[in-house]
Each structure stands twice: as structure tokens, then as C-alpha cells.
Amino acid sequence: MRVGSAESAGGRLGAVLAAPRSGVVSLGRSGPWLATTPASAKQVLTDPAHFDFPGDVSRSGDLSASRGDTRSGHLVFDALSPDQVAGGVEVFEREWAAALAAHERTTPHAPYDAMTLLRVPVARSTTAAVLGSADSAQRDRVAGQVLAWIDALAPVIAARRPPAGWTRTRRAERRARRALEETLAQVPGVDPAPVATLLAAGIQVPIAAGAWLLAWLADHATGDVDPLHAVWETLRLTPPTWVTARITTADVDLADERIPSGSVVMVSPLLLGRLESLVPGDPAGLGDFDPDRWRDGARRPGAWLPFGAGPHACPGRTLGLAQLLCVARWAVTRELELSEPVTIDQSRGITPAPCRFRVAPRREAPQ
Ligand code: HEM
């Protein structure tokens, strides 16, 4: 096993996984709180009147940043339409093939780096889905600027304390965001600030998810793996947005606890994805990557909320799944092999670092 396990990762991840599964627990003396059962997690995510979206989560692990004090009632994203998803998938397939071909052409003897390989295909695919009306040159420019903004945000999110406005890190981040918003302002019918947020969330997270998928498949014999089961199993073991947060707007009862107004309450798809009640298979093996556990269809994949739930659930869920499915279909027909062990980087959601692998054509199954 060459992919680091969340169970022994330590840090915030370790603290969340070690929490008792009693309903809701306080991780410190006065929070943050963590909902640890499917019922308490659902209550937190689907009752925005009592559990509001934080005003600024730009440092909490995902990119769904916003500027007001709270978000519910101000800005809710519509789910992408089937046409938008179809446009995004078409671009993903083309760009994924192009990225693989470019690697073969320019660095045929070097291992593939999953996070690098996925950047342009995901960025162009999500941008095509969101900005269907823009011409392709404009879209590719936007895709590049979103990647630049995501890169500039990384040190802001990873910093122990929020960097002050005058620091080089903050100024670089603001410059990158402004450049992106200026380009978006030229696209007819686009409101730059929320669309910038939508694009960043819809690019950073699927890149991480795709890299985890490649890491898991490279660490296991592909045999006759069902690509969709591999996708769900990846989103179960290493959901990139492994924790999300809400703020209580009043004193509120949750699983027999009274949570004071203004508290942070977290929900972790990574924790929920390890509950026996939601996942089929041997309870002792819930930390193992086993796509086959979904084969008999007895339990519904996704009950651990890898795309959230309620009014702030992921609007790009269908596109994200489709992008991952393209990658899985490619990977299961080949032999992937990790070049070195993969560890869990917790500085922004969770990402596999490093995630380098080599590819050989699929070996014939033994007779
Ligand atoms: C496999 C890929 C993806 C995963 C695992 C994922 C996961 C998530 C999760 C867990 C949330 C909820 C956060 C919360 O409730 O606090 C979320 C929100 C969000 N996602 Fe995704 N996502 C993916 C792909 C995408 C794509 C492709 C897009 C855009 C096209 C997108 C755009 C967003 C946005 C804008 C939000 C914030 C929603 C809000 O604040 O109301 N995501 N995502």
C-alpha cells in the first residue's frame, strides 16, 4: 500500500477521524463542533436558517469563498444544466487526450504527475461548461487565469494565520483575481465575482479528486474494476472537500447538544464515508480502496455527502462525476504504477502529494 492512510495522517484530519461517533462533539473547549452521524450532518447542511454558510471560507479548505458575513439568502448557485455538462465533458475528453499526448511527445521517459496532467483538461472543461457562450480563445484565457488565481490562493489558504492585506502573498492573490474578473467582465451576461468563485471551486476540487483517483488506481491491480465504482470509492476514502463548515445563527439543538449561537459546526464527508451504516463490506476494511464493494447495488454510493447537501450542495456535481469517469475509464484499461509513495497534503482540502505514476498497457488477465 503506497497511498498514505487518512487514519494515520494526524493534523486536523486525524482529530476529526478520532472523534466519537455520538452525534455531535466539540473538538475544542468551545468548538468547533463536528456532526458525526448522517442525521446530524444532514440537519446542519439542510437547515440554512440555523446553520448559515460562512461569510469567508477562503482559508478553510475549499474555494467557495464569499464576501458578505453569511451567504445563504445572498448567493445560491444553480446546478449546471445537462447541456452545460455535455459541453464540459466533450472538452474534457479532447483535452485529456491532448495532455497525455503532449507528455508522451515531450517527456516520454518521465513519470506522469497527476496534479499537473489534470490542470488544463479540468480547467478548460469546467470553463467550457460555465461559459458556453464565450468563444474558445476567450474561454482558454479564462481557464488559464483561474489556474493562476488558484495557485496564488494556495499560500493564502495554507498560511497559519490570514496574511495581512499588504503582504506579497495577498497582493499576488488579489492581482490574479482582478485579472480573471477583468476578463470575465468582457463576456456578455457574466457577473464576474460569483462566476470567478464558481470556476475556482469547479477547477481546484476536480483536479484534486482526479489525482486521488489516479493514485488509488495506480496503487491497486485494475483487473476488471468498474470505472464508476472506482470514482465513488475515491470520493469515499479521499473526498477533496473532506470537511465543510456552517455557523449557527441562534442557539440550536443538535443531537442532544445545545450549540450556542455563532458556533462553527463542521461536517466531514471523509468521516461519514467510514461509517458502517453507509458503506457495504467488512467493517474492518472500511479504510481500504475496494471499488467492488459497490457491485451488488445494495447500498447507495454518495450517502456520505461528498458533494454536500442542501442549498449549498455542489452545483457542479454531475460535471465533476463525468470528468472523473473519463479519467477512470482511461486508467482501468492500463497498468498504472506509482513512482513513489503518496502522502496526504492537508493544506487545502486534501490533495495527494506527490502523485507521480508510470503507465503500461494492460497485462492480459492470467488464464
Ligand atoms: C468531483 C468533483 C467535485 C467535488 C467532490 C465537489 C465537492 C463539493 C462539496 C462537498 C461542496 C459543498 C461544500 C459545502 O456544502 O459547504 C461543493 C460546493 C461547490 N462546488 Fe463542488 N465539487 C466538485 C466539482 C465541482 C464542479 C465541476 C463545479 C463547477 C462547475 C463545482 C462548484 C462548486 C461550487 C460553486 C460550490 C459552492 C456552492 C455554494 O457555496 O453554494 N464543484 N463542491
Side-chain angles (χ1 to χ4, degrees):
M1 167 98 111
R2 302 187 73 205
V3 178
S5 89
E7 280 69 12
S8 50
R12 284 177 71 206
L13 217 168
V16 164
L17 276 181
R21 322 278 158 101
S22 53
V24 64
V25 291
S26 180
L27 295 180
R29 270 211 287 172
S30 52
W33 296 82
L34 174 71
T36 60
T37 56
S40 60
K42 261 209 180 115
Q43 184 182 339
V44 171
L45 296 182
T46 58
D47 177 6
H50 292 103
F51 299 92
D52 206 348
F53 201 88
D56 178 7
V57 292
S58 63
R59 295 178 21 84
S60 82
D62 77 359
L63 280 163
S64 35
S66 68
R67 265 101 32 112
D69 283 333
T70 60
R71 197 43 185 284
S72 302
H74 300 295
L75 178 60
V76 175
F77 294 100
D78 289 332
L80 296 184
S81 70
D83 280 353
Q84 286 182 300
V85 173
V89 171
E90 195 188 313
V91 170
F92 188 87
E93 280 171 347
R94 193 172 64 230
E95 294 289 344
W96 178 245
L100 294 165
H103 178 95
E104 278 305 296
R105 205 174 48 246
T106 55
T107 48
H109 303 298
Y112 291 85
D113 181 311
M115 296 286 289
T116 307
L117 192 65
L118 284 154
R119 277 168 69 91
V120 171
V122 170
R124 292 191 174 174
S125 160
T126 298
T127 307
V130 172
L131 298 182
S133 62
D135 66 55
S136 66
Q138 208 172 18
R139 284 194 330 232
D140 290 353
R141 175 142 192 253
V142 168
Q145 288 178 320
V146 182
L147 288 172
W149 181 39
I150 288 172
D151 292 345
L153 257 173
V156 175
I157 292 172
R160 269 176 191 280
R161 279 192 234 112
W166 49 265
T167 56
R168 187 186 302 188
T169 310
R170 253 308 174 203
R171 279 185 290 142
E173 184 268 314
R174 254 194 255 125
R175 226 178 6 252
R177 178 169 185 131
R178 214 175 300 126
L180 168 63
E181 290 189 5
E182 277 165 18
T183 308
L184 286 172
Q186 291 159 25
V187 183
V190 163
D191 184 359
V195 171
T197 298
L198 174 65
L199 288 169
I203 291 173
Q204 194 256 331
V205 179
I207 291 174
W212 279 117
L213 173 64
L214 288 164
W216 287 117
L217 286 173
D219 198 33
H220 286 76
T222 36
D224 91 66
V225 172
D226 178 314
L228 186 58
H229 294 160
V231 168
W232 281 119
E233 192 64 349
T234 299
L235 293 175
R236 181 181 77 80
L237 282 176
T238 43
T241 307
W242 70 276
V243 67
T244 182
R246 299 291 186 268
I247 312 285
T248 50
T249 56
D251 291 358
V252 52
D253 292 328
L254 181 67
D256 297 332
E257 289 282 351
R258 172 133 284 218
I259 316 278
S261 181
S263 303
V264 174
V265 186
M266 304 193 299
V267 169
S268 170
L270 185 138
L271 171 82
L272 299 175
R274 283 160 169 77
L275 295 182
E276 273 177 60
S277 58
L278 302 182
V279 185
D282 178 0
L286 293 183
D288 299 339
F289 181 78
D290 177 14
D292 256 10
R293 70 171 78 244
W294 302 105
R295 198 173 278 273
D296 71 5
R299 301 242 178 98
R300 187 174 64 85
W304 59 91
L305 312 177
F307 295 97
H312 293 290
C314 181
R317 167 200 169 104
T318 322
L319 177 62
L321 279 174
Q323 291 169 337
L324 294 179
L325 197 54
C326 293
V327 174
R329 286 206 186 103
W330 172 82
V332 299
T333 53
R334 288 160 176 82
E335 290 286 342
L336 272 50
E337 197 190 325
L338 288 172
S339 306
E340 63 226 284
V342 172
T343 60
I344 303 180
D345 179 342
Q346 301 185 37
S347 61
R348 175 196 275 185
I350 48 169
T351 50
C355 186
R356 283 189 277 268
F357 62 92
R358 295 184 183 277
V359 181
R362 169 99 165 261
R363 272 179 249 130
E364 287 306 315
Q367 295 296 311

